[in-house]
Amino acid sequence: GFAYAELQNWAKAIPEFVLAAKGAEDADDDRAAIFWSQAGNAALASGDHPVALQYFGSALEQGTLTGLLKGEVHLDMARAFVALDQYDQAKAQFALVHDIVPEDPLGWLLSATLARRMGDLAAAKSDIAVAAKLVATDPAIALEAGNIAYEAGDMASAKSNWEQAVKFEPDSPSAKAATRYLAQLVTSVEP
């Protein structure tokens, strides 16, 4: 399963992880939850979001995951729900992520993005502020902070955050997106 996943051959990785998970369950092996979460991640990567949710659910049903591992499964479930446009379910998963692993900046970043998409700019601003406190120089966090500011009509903060994204890691996908937004900002302000 891991070898196929390394090759991004999800069609072959998924059944291998499922076999491992079922075998571990039959043997009362605590690793069953890990294998189910790997099957879920492979399904998520392949774009099969309903199946990913099923496998993540199986991982949690084992009752053996704690801390970061449990938080990651809820985070991955939230990502699957977002992909299925089931935003309320995703929001509920992010609340669990924040409760289980409040120090995970990715959870705060993704929940800020979701809140922005849902039009809840107050929650978006609050969540992105937590993410920025946890990792001050992440271009993805700066990009999203700029996006939220832009949605709120605060062009100065949007510009400042996007410039930070470019400064933090110029070759990152986030910096490239920020560069495009900055260029659009310049052209939209010109008379």
Side-chain angles (χ1 to χ4, degrees), residues 115-129:
R116 176 177 54 82
R117 285 185 186 173
M118 293 176 78
D120 187 349
L121 294 181
K125 285 179 185 178
S126 171
D127 288 357
I128 203 66

Side-chain angles (χ1 to χ4, degrees), residues 121-148:
L121 294 181
K125 285 179 185 178
S126 171
D127 288 357
I128 203 66
V130 176
K133 277 185 193 143
L134 292 167
V135 184
T137 58
D138 185 315
I141 292 172
L143 173 69
E144 184 56 33
N147 296 348
I148 293 165

Side-chain angles (χ1 to χ4, degrees), residues 66-89:
T66 58
L68 184 61
L69 291 175
K70 187 175 184 180
E72 282 178 359
V73 170
H74 285 291
L75 182 68
D76 290 334
M77 289 181 82
R79 290 171 54 215
F81 279 127
V82 167
L84 292 167
D85 294 326
Q86 295 178 5
Y87 290 173
D88 287 334
Q89 291 92 326

Side-chain angles (χ1 to χ4, degrees), residues 1-9 13 17:
F2 285 115
Y4 285 129
E6 193 68 30
L7 297 170
Q8 296 185 357
N9 186 338
F17 284 128

